[in-house]
Amino acid sequence: MANTFQIAPGTPQAQENRDGNGLVELSDLKEILLHRRRLVVGTAAVLTLLALIYSLLTSPLYSATAEILIDPRDLQVVTNDLYPNSVAADGGITQVESQVSVVQSTGVLTRAVQATELTKDPEFNRQGLLTRLLGGDSANSEETALVRTIDALRKRLSVKRADKVLVISVTMTSTSATKSARLANAVAQAYLDDQAMARSQTAENTSGALTARLEELRGQVQSAANAVEEYRRQNNLTMASGRLVSEQEMTDLNNQLTTARGRTAALKSQVDQIRAQRQTGLQSGATSEAIQSAVITQLRNQEAVLEERATSLRAQLGPSHPQMITIQSQLANIQQLITRELDRIAASVNTEYQRAFANEQALATKVAGLEGELNSKSQASVRLSELQRDLDSVRTVYEAFLTRAQETREQVTINNANARIITEALPPQKKSWPPVPLLLAGAVFGGLGLGAGLALIAELLAPTLLSPSQAQSVLKAPVVGIIPGERRSHSWLGRFPFRRPASASEEDEGEPLISPRLDGAIGLALRRILENDHSSVGKNSTASLIITSCERDTSERLRIVSLLSVHATGRGERVLVIDANMDQKASSDRGLLDVLAGECSFTDAMHFQFGQNIAYMRRGRSRKVLREAQGREHAVAMLAQAHRMFDLIIIDGGILSENLRTAPLVASVDHVILVAEKNQTSLRDVADVRQAAELMGQRLSGVLLVDRSMRN
């Protein structure tokens, strides 16, 4: 039974193991993806294949688009339109955006379904398998078919508004190019019809509400008018042209009284002027009436002519001449006529004044009498005014409602919505689904991304050695060499017993046993091991190596042991190979177990199979319990004797974490070399091997990485 080496979870070694497991650098991501490239490429290939199968098996879909222009400013049919013609601050974008939901509403889609008889189309009216299994309505009634068709139509419908414009795009997808165009146009037309019907219905409802209100308002107007007439009759308030008759009469009398007073004052002024002239001894010929009198004017003209003649004759004939006396007599007669005419005018003015004054007094008497009558009816007039105002307000509301009802009634048959189809849908020439190039490209890149993610997850769940720097960080030991990995298509060196190194004649006749590159890598690795500062021997002294590995690297460990042996013997060195993998079954020949138990000498346990330059010691046949102190004593003695006989001692230590019986030998050798495969060996396993070596008394001297990506 295998002796498995385990570490307690709480120990410092276990904590160091956990810390080492997470040492992944950014540069190691490339190594992870290269190592798990099959997973990455496989995932991408599977997704690409699925996308290709989907593209081949999926029925093609065609999309057709119709465009509707919606102007937020409605057509103004009448002055007081039912819908305001103003535009919002955002330019009507919100109003048009809301129409996107209206196009997808059940009312519009129902109208489109009924117009195209879409319920008879199995593409849109198909009862699903799940519905049938759950006991759906198998009778497929008209209502159920309509609901199912609308749901299917809404899933195939796409309505959106283009950026910065007032245009709505209605896109319909169907398995037929002609059908998709027909349905897109049907939905667009259904939207326009629905808007026209909605506006007509709104106008009709509003008109009906206004008409119903008119009957009530008409009754209120009639009641208010009856109240006014009844109050007038009771209070004897006669109206004419919207005013009381007494008020109109009072206004007329006041106007007449004002006019009479003005005339009386004017005549009084003339009378006073005539009296003042007579008192001063002046004639009253300076009054306006005298000046304006034609008789006075004619007489004064005659007087002026006679005076002029008298002046001329006085100078020629003298004042006593008969002609002068006649002229003087004529002048006196004319002056008497003027005086009498002026007296007559003064008497006429005085008479006119007396008449005007009497008329003023009569009018004042009438006004005073009418004021008394009006004062008695003032309280009744106030109440009548209130009733009249109530009547006017009710009549104004009634007339406004009557006008609005007539305007709204006219809008029932008029569609003022400013929307129209600017682009009718045409049958598309190319299918819109599935987009094969896009699906394949998405599958390829998505598969690569998914594969990379799966690779990183796989690496996180089972971390492996990715690079030499990570190996040095985890194992605390230098990487002494990177050896090309074993190709499955090649023939490899077999397990023990080794193949015999080729002689010079054999190498000349055929290909060498080890390729030059592989031999060079082994040689450089061996040189680095022997020149390690941790070596306890000189440069030219015999060195002992224990080669160990994890379980999955067993074949590579055996190959490395073989390659080291072949390389050393090729340089003419004497090599001893010891099989210390005590976890395996004991051999039938004497060997290492017998030497460590003291049951056999060193020389008896050696076997020279391939000549004098290489010897081999099997694991031995003893099965008795080996004490560690006794085994270490015999191991030291065996290695001391081997140092005198050989130039290089190579020990196959197996898996140290499971091969605990090699502890005496591990503590006695010069170097412990770990063989690990790059991108394959688990970090946890190599950490267990490192800690096992340290607990056995020896630190790892170096790491040999095996890289299968390198060419031999």
Side-chain angles (χ1 to χ4, degrees), residues 419-496:
R420 59 190 177 91
I421 299 176
I422 59 174
T423 302
E424 291 189 354
L426 298 177
Q429 302 300 318
K430 296 181 180 179
K431 60 182 180 181
S432 60
W433 188 265
V436 179
L438 183 61
L439 283 179
L440 293 180
V444 170
F445 290 105
L448 291 176
L450 179 60
L454 293 177
L456 295 178
I457 293 175
E459 185 65 28
L460 179 64
L461 297 177
T464 59
L465 279 177
L466 300 174
S467 62
S469 61
Q470 187 188 33
Q472 293 179 10
S473 175
V474 173
L475 300 174
K476 312 299 182 185
V479 176
V480 296
I482 301 178
I483 308 302
E486 190 177 31
R487 300 280 183 172
R488 290 185 173 85
S489 59
H490 296 171
S491 59
W492 305 104
L493 294 172
R495 298 181 53 153
F496 299 121

Side-chain angles (χ1 to χ4, degrees), residues 571-698:
R571 296 191 306 179
E573 296 181 356
R574 294 171 297 169
V575 180
L576 172 62
V577 179
I578 301 176
D579 184 5
N581 191 4
M582 300 179 186
D583 189 52
Q584 304 293 327
K585 294 181 180 180
S587 63
S588 59
D589 299 331
R590 290 175 295 183
L592 178 61
L593 289 175
D594 299 290
V595 174
L596 295 180
E599 297 178 356
C600 176
S601 64
F602 173 70
T603 56
D604 292 339
M606 289 190 305
H607 303 277
F608 289 88
Q609 287 186 290
F610 307 128
Q612 298 300 320
N613 287 338
I614 185 169
Y616 175 64
M617 179 182 293
R618 301 183 186 277
R619 66 180 59 91
R621 58 187 180 180
S622 176
R623 296 185 180 180
K624 62 186 296 184
V625 177
L626 181 63
R627 291 183 303 168
E628 187 171 350
Q630 179 186 5
R632 178 171 297 186
E633 179 182 354
H634 290 296
V636 172
M638 179 191 72
L639 291 177
Q641 189 174 0
H643 286 170
R644 292 190 294 271
M645 298 177 60
F646 297 95
D647 299 316
L648 181 63
I649 303 171
I650 302 175
I651 304 171
D652 175 19
I655 306 170
L656 291 186
S657 59
E658 299 178 359
N659 194 18
L660 301 182
R661 300 175 70 182
T662 59
L665 197 59
V666 171
S668 304
V669 298
D670 300 324
H671 303 282
V672 178
I673 306 300
L674 174 65
V675 176
E677 186 174 350
K678 184 181 176 183
N679 297 328
Q680 296 292 334
T681 304
S682 171
L683 283 178
R684 297 182 179 89
D685 293 342
V686 297
D688 290 343
V689 172
R690 176 180 66 84
Q691 294 171 7
E694 292 175 355
L695 292 177
M696 291 180 184
Q698 188 69 273

